[in-house]
Amino acid sequence: MKAEMALDVRDHLGEGVFWDHQDQVLWWLNVPMPSKLHRFDPAIGDHKVWEMPEMITSMSVRDKGGLIIASHHGINFFDPKNGQLERVLEPEKHLPGNRFNDGACDRQGRFWVGSMQNNISADAKNMPLEVSSGRLYRINPDLSFQSMEEGIMVSNTLCWSPDNSTFYFTDTVTGVIRAYDFDKAFGTISNPRPLGGPEQRGYPDGSTVDAAGGIWSCRWEGGCVIRFLPNGLVNLIVEVPVSRVTSCTFGGPELDTLFITTARWDMSDEELNENPQAGGLFKVKPGFKGLPDARFAG
């Protein structure tokens, strides 16, 4: 099964893809500066872009309007009508060498987001990762927050099983997705265990879960999206014609289209010649349906 180009945006590092089921539009972002927020209406082909004052890394739509967006230095609200990014929380003000990374909302409206040592310079160059200084946070609707995990190098893959009993998360450098028991009432995680072992097709980046419980893992340097069963077995592979595959979500009126972001960040000229579509937005109808992406309740 192969994904095809949906939009040739040539993002440095496309990430954070989110389908707004209510408005039937797709949101995603380009992380390195000049960082950008995308909104795309596939029904009419309308594509709008906002430039951001600092790197943005993940997002969710808010019940109260606009978006909640994780950025380099904190958590923000964004109003698409006036284009303003408003800082509302700085959980790691004491860690200036860190930045936020992947994030998503649980179905109770809490925003979960991971941090990591910043590895992207102001001019979009790669900086070496040296310390596991990242944490996993739960941001509550009242903007209180809790640290749920620590000692993370590259936080990624935040998604939940359809019955809300399991949370999936990874430190990408380990190559292994972890499954946790999830208490939806209290928003707690416990009993971490590996979802299978490391796969040969790259490293786990962003992920989503379909209505049948399959876990769709984008593979950085793997050129594909792998569908894992809840027992960790590989069920299906979607080939993507670029090596750095970053995040995915189900969208469209029937939630049957898998939208996939990719990256061209830190590629050499030779690598770009081999990956001419790198940084594009891709899509595929894989024969499964997704669940509506959850909104932030604050």
Side-chain angles (χ1 to χ4, degrees):
M1 187 172 295
K2 296 182 179 180
E4 63 180 20
M5 179 75 78
L7 213 58
D8 188 11
V9 289
R10 303 197 178 191
D11 284 329
H12 282 293
L13 180 55
E15 278 284 6
V17 65
F18 180 99
W19 176 256
D20 183 346
H21 193 57
Q22 179 175 307
D23 289 344
Q24 292 288 297
V25 295
L26 190 74
W27 297 91
W28 76 100
L29 49 88
N30 180 31
V31 177
M33 295 297 287
S35 193
K36 296 177 180 179
L37 174 67
H38 296 273
R39 184 181 67 192
F40 178 55
D41 184 339
I44 61 175
D46 181 60
H47 177 216
K48 185 173 178 58
V49 179
W50 292 264
E51 287 201 7
M52 295 288 113
E54 66 180 68
M55 291 193 300
I56 60 173
T57 62
S58 55
M59 76 186 83
S60 178
V61 171
R62 297 176 61 204
D63 279 341
K64 295 181 179 179
L67 284 74
I68 182 171
I69 294 180
S71 68
H72 188 164
H73 297 295
I75 308 299
N76 314 267
F77 290 160
F78 178 73
D79 184 351
K81 294 178 182 177
N82 61 24
Q84 295 299 306
L85 189 73
E86 174 194 3
R87 177 88 78 244
V88 295
L89 197 60
E90 292 185 321
E92 293 198 340
K93 194 172 184 178
H94 61 297
L95 296 171
N98 271 13
R99 68 171 174 88
F100 283 95
N101 202 48
D102 201 8
C105 279
D106 64 28
R107 297 182 191 101
Q108 290 67 45
R110 298 167 293 223
F111 186 60
W112 294 64
V113 63
S115 65
M116 59 181 286
Q117 178 194 346
N118 181 36
N119 63 331
I120 303 176
S121 69
D123 59 351
K125 296 295 192 300
N126 182 26
M127 300 192 299
L129 287 168
E130 298 172 336
V131 292
S132 298
S133 59
R135 289 175 178 259
L136 172 65
Y137 293 93
R138 189 191 71 218
I139 312 295
N140 303 311
D142 64 0
L143 296 183
S144 62
F145 64 92
Q146 285 78 37
S147 173
M148 312 302 291
E149 283 277 35
E150 59 183 27
I152 300 162
M153 184 161 277
V154 182
S155 53
N156 267 312
T157 297
L158 290 87
C159 54
W160 290 261
S161 62
D163 65 0
N164 287 316
S165 66
T166 307
F167 170 66
Y168 301 103
F169 179 70
T170 188
D171 184 340
T172 292
V173 297
T174 68
V176 175
I177 296 172
R178 285 179 285 176
Y180 296 75
D181 293 338
F182 180 65
D183 187 317
K184 68 178 182 180
F186 294 97
T188 55
I189 55 176
S190 61
N191 188 30
R193 65 271 185 193
L195 179 74
E199 293 297 322
Q200 295 182 356
R201 295 290 299 267
Y203 295 87
D205 204 313
S207 294
T208 193
V209 170
D210 63 39
I215 303 98
W216 297 77
S217 172
C218 294
R219 311 301 293 188
W220 180 266
E221 299 291 9
C224 67
V225 182
I226 297 177
R227 183 181 191 261
F228 291 96
L229 298 176
N231 62 8
L233 294 178
V234 174
N235 172 254
L236 184 149
I237 297 178
V238 174
E239 301 291 343
V240 184
V242 300
S243 64
R244 296 180 177 176
V245 185
T246 54
S247 71
C248 63
T249 197
F250 282 92
E254 303 299 321
L255 294 174
D256 60 352
T257 299
L258 187 70
F259 289 101
I260 305 162
T261 59
T262 64
R264 58 174 44 223
W265 175 65
D266 199 38
M267 281 186 167
S268 66
D269 290 341
E270 181 179 355
E271 289 171 322
L272 287 171
N273 286 335
E274 295 173 355
N275 293 264
Q277 295 180 301
L281 175 72
F282 292 83
K283 65 179 180 178
V284 66
K285 288 196 174 185
F288 293 87
K289 292 188 177 184
L291 297 164
D293 284 336
R295 293 169 170 249
F296 183 61

